[in-house]
Amino acid sequence: MTFYGYQRPDGRVGVRNKVLILPASVCASDTARIIAQQVEGAVTFNNQLGCSQVASDQQYVMDVMAGYAANPNIYGTVVVSLGCENCQMDLVVKAIQERTNKPIRQVIIQEVGGTLKAADIGVRYAKELTTQASLLQKMPFPMSELIIGTECGGSDPTSGLAANVLIGEMSDRIVAAGGTSILSETTEFIGAEHILARRAINQEVHNRIYEIVHRYEHAMHLVGEEIREGNPAPGNKAGGITTLEEKSLGCIHKGGHSPIMAVYDYAKQVKPKSGLVIMDTPGNDPASVSAMVAGGAQVVVFSTGRGTPTGNPIAPVIKITGNRMTFAKMEDNIDVDASSLIYGGSLQQLGDDLMQLVSEVASGRQTKAESLGFTEMSIARVCNFV
């Protein structure tokens, strides 16, 4: 099986061909939006951070910004900064260049004379890059070039019984084809971490699985909180999930049965052709998806029992539900109905169908979230503003 994508100068393969207007901080987000709205083929996001953060908290933002620019779905980037934020232009550009050699342009609002002048310069840069991007021709590539992010949100019991099982089947097939699948959401390993650890390729990975789970629980205890008081969420409970351990046992099905080859910290660059890996992300869906996309995922496959509209500005998000009532009510948002697996359907056939859809989306087919223009995202936090 193959897909049609775009070869990048850093050797990776994109499934979209966008120019990123990257706001270095919250103070540059509106200017970045003004630029992106005027240029067909440009994308941006609302960065609520980038300033007034301690180093470890700021690093999450730097890694997401650099990872978004380096993601293979991006042709080139226009970085927009205010000029006085913590995430200074030179720091952002350096972080991007450490990950990729794709084109970068820079606009500093305070130095060029304000928003209107910055927007004019930014639009010119963006149009220059989108014109260059339009000259690229799609070429066929093997599925081994894909990094697939897997996510679940708004879960109910059908997620663990059907949708996540189907994603796990897809994950195993991607790994067998030589590609990469990312299992995320550390908070939803709790109670099932020992099962994942048994699948670690070596003792180091085994220990890292326990480390990220214990680190997350410890971080909550430091501020006097207990993770089980916020997870499962009210919607999970209304759907029929009773405990965090029960939710975790359903969540980890997204990882299929392949051995776990590595554990990555939040938003760090994932090596292509790595098999099944874990990324340490929160259970918050947009923040978790952002980390995997920053890590290089070109496509995200996302299960939901209750229904969710989540998308992403950089990568297409394929939505799957195992609840046929949810699919009937939220067909505008959900791409795949996996409920037949509960009622005797064939996992083999559903797996064939999902792999075909992944190939089509990687080749340019829009997901429901893309057709609706959904680009909401967020970034994990270490601590409060300073």
PDB file of all heavy atoms in Angstrom, residues 289-320:
ATOM      1  N   VAL A 289      -2.519  15.721  21.096  1.00  0.00           N
ATOM      2  CA  VAL A 289      -2.384  15.710  19.640  1.00  0.00           C
ATOM      3  C   VAL A 289      -1.279  16.673  19.204  1.00  0.00           C
ATOM      4  O   VAL A 289      -0.455  16.355  18.339  1.00  0.00           O
ATOM      5  CB  VAL A 289      -3.726  16.063  18.966  1.00  0.00           C
ATOM      6  CG1 VAL A 289      -3.544  16.318  17.471  1.00  0.00           C
ATOM      7  CG2 VAL A 289      -4.734  14.941  19.182  1.00  0.00           C
ATOM      8  N   SER A 290      -1.226  17.859  19.812  1.00  0.00           N
ATOM      9  CA  SER A 290      -0.200  18.838  19.474  1.00  0.00           C
ATOM     10  C   SER A 290       1.198  18.263  19.655  1.00  0.00           C
ATOM     11  O   SER A 290       2.092  18.493  18.832  1.00  0.00           O
ATOM     12  CB  SER A 290      -0.337  20.091  20.341  1.00  0.00           C
ATOM     13  OG  SER A 290      -1.488  20.812  20.003  1.00  0.00           O
ATOM     14  N   ALA A 291       1.405  17.520  20.738  1.00  0.00           N
ATOM     15  CA  ALA A 291       2.722  16.956  21.013  1.00  0.00           C
ATOM     16  C   ALA A 291       3.126  15.943  19.946  1.00  0.00           C
ATOM     17  O   ALA A 291       4.266  15.918  19.487  1.00  0.00           O
ATOM     18  CB  ALA A 291       2.725  16.304  22.390  1.00  0.00           C
ATOM     19  N   MET A 292       2.185  15.087  19.536  1.00  0.00           N
ATOM     20  CA  MET A 292       2.514  14.073  18.534  1.00  0.00           C
ATOM     21  C   MET A 292       2.773  14.703  17.170  1.00  0.00           C
ATOM     22  O   MET A 292       3.667  14.268  16.435  1.00  0.00           O
ATOM     23  CB  MET A 292       1.393  13.038  18.460  1.00  0.00           C
ATOM     24  CG  MET A 292       1.282  12.172  19.692  1.00  0.00           C
ATOM     25  SD  MET A 292       0.078  10.840  19.533  1.00  0.00           S
ATOM     26  CE  MET A 292      -1.467  11.750  19.598  1.00  0.00           C
ATOM     27  N   VAL A 293       2.001  15.738  16.838  1.00  0.00           N
ATOM     28  CA  VAL A 293       2.225  16.441  15.570  1.00  0.00           C
ATOM     29  C   VAL A 293       3.578  17.154  15.612  1.00  0.00           C
ATOM     30  O   VAL A 293       4.343  17.134  14.640  1.00  0.00           O
ATOM     31  CB  VAL A 293       1.074  17.424  15.287  1.00  0.00           C
ATOM     32  CG1 VAL A 293       1.370  18.280  14.064  1.00  0.00           C
ATOM     33  CG2 VAL A 293      -0.233  16.655  15.074  1.00  0.00           C
ATOM     34  N   ALA A 294       3.906  17.760  16.754  1.00  0.00           N
ATOM     35  CA  ALA A 294       5.224  18.375  16.910  1.00  0.00           C
ATOM     36  C   ALA A 294       6.330  17.331  16.825  1.00  0.00           C
ATOM     37  O   ALA A 294       7.445  17.623  16.386  1.00  0.00           O
ATOM     38  CB  ALA A 294       5.310  19.128  18.232  1.00  0.00           C
ATOM     39  N   GLY A 295       6.024  16.109  17.224  1.00  0.00           N
ATOM     40  CA  GLY A 295       6.984  15.020  17.130  1.00  0.00           C
ATOM     41  C   GLY A 295       7.175  14.495  15.725  1.00  0.00           C
ATOM     42  O   GLY A 295       8.074  13.695  15.482  1.00  0.00           O
ATOM     43  N   GLY A 296       6.298  14.929  14.797  1.00  0.00           N
ATOM     44  CA  GLY A 296       6.453  14.539  13.404  1.00  0.00           C
ATOM     45  C   GLY A 296       5.309  13.759  12.809  1.00  0.00           C
ATOM     46  O   GLY A 296       5.367  13.382  11.633  1.00  0.00           O
ATOM     47  N   ALA A 297       4.243  13.509  13.590  1.00  0.00           N
ATOM     48  CA  ALA A 297       3.108  12.751  13.050  1.00  0.00           C
ATOM     49  C   ALA A 297       2.455  13.522  11.905  1.00  0.00           C
ATOM     50  O   ALA A 297       2.066  14.676  12.077  1.00  0.00           O
ATOM     51  CB  ALA A 297       2.087  12.460  14.148  1.00  0.00           C
ATOM     52  N   GLN A 298       2.328  12.880  10.747  1.00  0.00           N
ATOM     53  CA  GLN A 298       1.666  13.529   9.609  1.00  0.00           C
ATOM     54  C   GLN A 298       0.154  13.322   9.647  1.00  0.00           C
ATOM     55  O   GLN A 298      -0.595  14.101   9.067  1.00  0.00           O
ATOM     56  CB  GLN A 298       2.180  12.966   8.283  1.00  0.00           C
ATOM     57  CG  GLN A 298       3.681  13.079   8.070  1.00  0.00           C
ATOM     58  CD  GLN A 298       4.353  11.725   8.198  1.00  0.00           C
ATOM     59  OE1 GLN A 298       4.086  10.992   9.144  1.00  0.00           O
ATOM     60  NE2 GLN A 298       5.204  11.389   7.236  1.00  0.00           N
ATOM     61  N   VAL A 299      -0.310  12.249  10.318  1.00  0.00           N
ATOM     62  CA  VAL A 299      -1.736  11.914  10.409  1.00  0.00           C
ATOM     63  C   VAL A 299      -2.016  11.478  11.839  1.00  0.00           C
ATOM     64  O   VAL A 299      -1.182  10.806  12.468  1.00  0.00           O
ATOM     65  CB  VAL A 299      -2.117  10.775   9.435  1.00  0.00           C
ATOM     66  CG1 VAL A 299      -3.594  10.413   9.572  1.00  0.00           C
ATOM     67  CG2 VAL A 299      -1.789  11.147   7.991  1.00  0.00           C
ATOM     68  N   VAL A 300      -3.187  11.851  12.369  1.00  0.00           N
ATOM     69  CA  VAL A 300      -3.621  11.409  13.690  1.00  0.00           C
ATOM     70  C   VAL A 300      -4.913  10.616  13.541  1.00  0.00           C
ATOM     71  O   VAL A 300      -5.818  11.039  12.813  1.00  0.00           O
ATOM     72  CB  VAL A 300      -3.842  12.604  14.642  1.00  0.00           C
ATOM     73  CG1 VAL A 300      -4.392  12.137  15.988  1.00  0.00           C
ATOM     74  CG2 VAL A 300      -2.544  13.386  14.834  1.00  0.00           C
ATOM     75  N   VAL A 301      -4.976   9.462  14.213  1.00  0.00           N
ATOM     76  CA  VAL A 301      -6.193   8.644  14.224  1.00  0.00           C
ATOM     77  C   VAL A 301      -6.727   8.671  15.649  1.00  0.00           C
ATOM     78  O   VAL A 301      -6.026   8.311  16.595  1.00  0.00           O
ATOM     79  CB  VAL A 301      -5.916   7.212  13.752  1.00  0.00           C
ATOM     80  CG1 VAL A 301      -7.204   6.397  13.738  1.00  0.00           C
ATOM     81  CG2 VAL A 301      -5.283   7.220  12.356  1.00  0.00           C
ATOM     82  N   PHE A 302      -7.979   9.084  15.808  1.00  0.00           N
ATOM     83  CA  PHE A 302      -8.519   9.539  17.096  1.00  0.00           C
ATOM     84  C   PHE A 302      -9.861   8.843  17.348  1.00  0.00           C
ATOM     85  O   PHE A 302     -10.794   8.981  16.576  1.00  0.00           O
ATOM     86  CB  PHE A 302      -8.706  11.057  16.977  1.00  0.00           C
ATOM     87  CG  PHE A 302      -9.071  11.799  18.232  1.00  0.00           C
ATOM     88  CD1 PHE A 302      -8.361  12.924  18.599  1.00  0.00           C
ATOM     89  CD2 PHE A 302     -10.148  11.420  19.021  1.00  0.00           C
ATOM     90  CE1 PHE A 302      -8.706  13.661  19.724  1.00  0.00           C
ATOM     91  CE2 PHE A 302     -10.497  12.129  20.146  1.00  0.00           C
ATOM     92  CZ  PHE A 302      -9.769  13.250  20.504  1.00  0.00           C
ATOM     93  N   SER A 303      -9.944   8.097  18.452  1.00  0.00           N
ATOM     94  CA  SER A 303     -11.200   7.417  18.785  1.00  0.00           C
ATOM     95  C   SER A 303     -12.014   8.237  19.774  1.00  0.00           C
ATOM     96  O   SER A 303     -11.462   8.977  20.597  1.00  0.00           O
ATOM     97  CB  SER A 303     -10.920   6.038  19.387  1.00  0.00           C
ATOM     98  OG  SER A 303     -10.386   6.160  20.692  1.00  0.00           O
ATOM     99  N   THR A 304     -13.325   8.121  19.681  1.00  0.00           N
ATOM    100  CA  THR A 304     -14.219   8.825  20.605  1.00  0.00           C
ATOM    101  C   THR A 304     -15.519   8.049  20.755  1.00  0.00           C
ATOM    102  O   THR A 304     -16.116   7.630  19.773  1.00  0.00           O
ATOM    103  CB  THR A 304     -14.504  10.261  20.120  1.00  0.00           C
ATOM    104  OG1 THR A 304     -15.414  10.885  21.030  1.00  0.00           O
ATOM    105  CG2 THR A 304     -15.080  10.298  18.715  1.00  0.00           C
ATOM    106  N   GLY A 305     -15.926   7.852  21.993  1.00  0.00           N
ATOM    107  CA  GLY A 305     -17.191   7.176  22.232  1.00  0.00           C
ATOM    108  C   GLY A 305     -18.341   8.156  22.341  1.00  0.00           C
ATOM    109  O   GLY A 305     -19.439   7.917  21.822  1.00  0.00           O
ATOM    110  N   ARG A 306     -18.081   9.283  22.987  1.00  0.00           N
ATOM    111  CA  ARG A 306     -19.120  10.288  23.206  1.00  0.00           C
ATOM    112  C   ARG A 306     -19.212  11.271  22.040  1.00  0.00           C
ATOM    113  O   ARG A 306     -20.218  11.932  21.858  1.00  0.00           O
ATOM    114  CB  ARG A 306     -18.815  11.060  24.490  1.00  0.00           C
ATOM    115  CG  ARG A 306     -18.677  10.194  25.737  1.00  0.00           C
ATOM    116  CD  ARG A 306     -19.991   9.800  26.312  1.00  0.00           C
ATOM    117  NE  ARG A 306     -20.638  10.982  26.910  1.00  0.00           N
ATOM    118  CZ  ARG A 306     -21.883  11.004  27.352  1.00  0.00           C
ATOM    119  NH1 ARG A 306     -22.647   9.929  27.221  1.00  0.00           N
ATOM    120  NH2 ARG A 306     -22.385  12.090  27.893  1.00  0.00           N
ATOM    121  N   GLY A 307     -18.107  11.397  21.262  1.00  0.00           N
ATOM    122  CA  GLY A 307     -18.083  12.326  20.142  1.00  0.00           C
ATOM    123  C   GLY A 307     -17.221  13.527  20.451  1.00  0.00           C
ATOM    124  O   GLY A 307     -17.267  14.063  21.562  1.00  0.00           O
ATOM    125  N   THR A 308     -16.415  13.971  19.477  1.00  0.00           N
ATOM    126  CA  THR A 308     -15.551  15.138  19.658  1.00  0.00           C
ATOM    127  C   THR A 308     -15.282  15.791  18.313  1.00  0.00           C
ATOM    128  O   THR A 308     -15.224  15.104  17.291  1.00  0.00           O
ATOM    129  CB  THR A 308     -14.219  14.739  20.330  1.00  0.00           C
ATOM    130  OG1 THR A 308     -13.393  15.900  20.472  1.00  0.00           O
ATOM    131  CG2 THR A 308     -13.478  13.713  19.503  1.00  0.00           C
ATOM    132  N   PRO A 309     -15.097  17.111  18.286  1.00  0.00           N
ATOM    133  CA  PRO A 309     -14.793  17.808  17.029  1.00  0.00           C
ATOM    134  C   PRO A 309     -13.307  18.040  16.793  1.00  0.00           C
ATOM    135  O   PRO A 309     -12.944  18.667  15.816  1.00  0.00           O
ATOM    136  CB  PRO A 309     -15.502  19.151  17.230  1.00  0.00           C
ATOM    137  CG  PRO A 309     -15.356  19.408  18.696  1.00  0.00           C
ATOM    138  CD  PRO A 309     -15.434  18.053  19.369  1.00  0.00           C
ATOM    139  N   THR A 310     -12.428  17.543  17.658  1.00  0.00           N
ATOM    140  CA  THR A 310     -11.017  17.920  17.644  1.00  0.00           C
ATOM    141  C   THR A 310     -10.359  17.781  16.272  1.00  0.00           C
ATOM    142  O   THR A 310     -10.502  16.764  15.594  1.00  0.00           O
ATOM    143  CB  THR A 310     -10.239  17.068  18.665  1.00  0.00           C
ATOM    144  OG1 THR A 310     -10.798  17.279  19.959  1.00  0.00           O
ATOM    145  CG2 THR A 310      -8.772  17.464  18.699  1.00  0.00           C
ATOM    146  N   GLY A 311      -9.611  18.821  15.880  1.00  0.00           N
ATOM    147  CA  GLY A 311      -8.782  18.788  14.685  1.00  0.00           C
ATOM    148  C   GLY A 311      -7.391  19.279  15.045  1.00  0.00           C
ATOM    149  O   GLY A 311      -7.005  19.280  16.219  1.00  0.00           O
ATOM    150  N   ASN A 312      -6.645  19.707  14.038  1.00  0.00           N
ATOM    151  CA  ASN A 312      -5.311  20.248  14.270  1.00  0.00           C
ATOM    152  C   ASN A 312      -4.924  21.097  13.069  1.00  0.00           C
ATOM    153  O   ASN A 312      -5.282  20.765  11.942  1.00  0.00           O
ATOM    154  CB  ASN A 312      -4.297  19.119  14.470  1.00  0.00           C
ATOM    155  CG  ASN A 312      -2.900  19.622  14.791  1.00  0.00           C
ATOM    156  OD1 ASN A 312      -2.090  19.811  13.896  1.00  0.00           O
ATOM    157  ND2 ASN A 312      -2.631  19.851  16.066  1.00  0.00           N
ATOM    158  N   PRO A 313      -4.198  22.199  13.278  1.00  0.00           N
ATOM    159  CA  PRO A 313      -3.852  23.062  12.146  1.00  0.00           C
ATOM    160  C   PRO A 313      -2.826  22.461  11.196  1.00  0.00           C
ATOM    161  O   PRO A 313      -2.732  22.885  10.042  1.00  0.00           O
ATOM    162  CB  PRO A 313      -3.295  24.323  12.812  1.00  0.00           C
ATOM    163  CG  PRO A 313      -2.854  23.884  14.167  1.00  0.00           C
ATOM    164  CD  PRO A 313      -3.788  22.797  14.567  1.00  0.00           C
ATOM    165  N   ILE A 314      -2.055  21.478  11.636  1.00  0.00           N
ATOM    166  CA  ILE A 314      -0.943  20.952  10.848  1.00  0.00           C
ATOM    167  C   ILE A 314      -1.266  19.597  10.225  1.00  0.00           C
ATOM    168  O   ILE A 314      -0.932  19.341   9.066  1.00  0.00           O
ATOM    169  CB  ILE A 314       0.332  20.810  11.714  1.00  0.00           C
ATOM    170  CG1 ILE A 314       0.638  22.108  12.467  1.00  0.00           C
ATOM    171  CG2 ILE A 314       1.513  20.366  10.868  1.00  0.00           C
ATOM    172  CD1 ILE A 314       0.918  23.286  11.587  1.00  0.00           C
ATOM    173  N   ALA A 315      -1.909  18.711  10.980  1.00  0.00           N
ATOM    174  CA  ALA A 315      -2.111  17.332  10.536  1.00  0.00           C
ATOM    175  C   ALA A 315      -3.598  16.985  10.477  1.00  0.00           C
ATOM    176  O   ALA A 315      -4.373  17.401  11.345  1.00  0.00           O
ATOM    177  CB  ALA A 315      -1.402  16.368  11.489  1.00  0.00           C
ATOM    178  N   PRO A 316      -4.011  16.200   9.470  1.00  0.00           N
ATOM    179  CA  PRO A 316      -5.398  15.733   9.422  1.00  0.00           C
ATOM    180  C   PRO A 316      -5.671  14.757  10.565  1.00  0.00           C
ATOM    181  O   PRO A 316      -4.810  13.951  10.926  1.00  0.00           O
ATOM    182  CB  PRO A 316      -5.491  15.030   8.064  1.00  0.00           C
ATOM    183  CG  PRO A 316      -4.081  14.666   7.718  1.00  0.00           C
ATOM    184  CD  PRO A 316      -3.220  15.727   8.326  1.00  0.00           C
ATOM    185  N   VAL A 317      -6.865  14.855  11.145  1.00  0.00           N
ATOM    186  CA  VAL A 317      -7.269  14.003  12.261  1.00  0.00           C
ATOM    187  C   VAL A 317      -8.459  13.154  11.819  1.00  0.00           C
ATOM    188  O   VAL A 317      -9.527  13.685  11.497  1.00  0.00           O
ATOM    189  CB  VAL A 317      -7.640  14.836  13.505  1.00  0.00           C
ATOM    190  CG1 VAL A 317      -8.063  13.927  14.653  1.00  0.00           C
ATOM    191  CG2 VAL A 317      -6.470  15.723  13.934  1.00  0.00           C
ATOM    192  N   ILE A 318      -8.270  11.845  11.793  1.00  0.00           N
ATOM    193  CA  ILE A 318      -9.328  10.897  11.430  1.00  0.00           C
ATOM    194  C   ILE A 318     -10.045  10.485  12.703  1.00  0.00           C
ATOM    195  O   ILE A 318      -9.424   9.961  13.632  1.00  0.00           O
ATOM    196  CB  ILE A 318      -8.735   9.659  10.737  1.00  0.00           C
ATOM    197  CG1 ILE A 318      -8.018  10.052   9.445  1.00  0.00           C
ATOM    198  CG2 ILE A 318      -9.827   8.625  10.461  1.00  0.00           C
ATOM    199  CD1 ILE A 318      -7.228   8.908   8.807  1.00  0.00           C
ATOM    200  N   LYS A 319     -11.338  10.703  12.762  1.00  0.00           N
ATOM    201  CA  LYS A 319     -12.134  10.398  13.948  1.00  0.00           C
ATOM    202  C   LYS A 319     -12.869   9.065  13.783  1.00  0.00           C
ATOM    203  O   LYS A 319     -13.515   8.813  12.767  1.00  0.00           O
ATOM    204  CB  LYS A 319     -13.138  11.512  14.189  1.00  0.00           C
ATOM    205  CG  LYS A 319     -13.140  12.069  15.607  1.00  0.00           C
ATOM    206  CD  LYS A 319     -11.877  12.825  15.925  1.00  0.00           C
ATOM    207  CE  LYS A 319     -11.716  14.042  15.095  1.00  0.00           C
ATOM    208  NZ  LYS A 319     -12.750  14.982  15.120  1.00  0.00           N
ATOM    209  N   ILE A 320     -12.807   8.205  14.822  1.00  0.00           N
ATOM    210  CA  ILE A 320     -13.423   6.885  14.814  1.00  0.00           C
ATOM    211  C   ILE A 320     -14.270   6.733  16.069  1.00  0.00           C
ATOM    212  O   ILE A 320     -13.847   7.122  17.160  1.00  0.00           O
ATOM    213  CB  ILE A 320     -12.360   5.776  14.806  1.00  0.00           C
ATOM    214  CG1 ILE A 320     -11.469   5.887  13.562  1.00  0.00           C
ATOM    215  CG2 ILE A 320     -12.997   4.394  14.862  1.00  0.00           C
ATOM    216  CD1 ILE A 320     -10.322   4.894  13.546  1.00  0.00           C
TER     217      ILE A 320
END
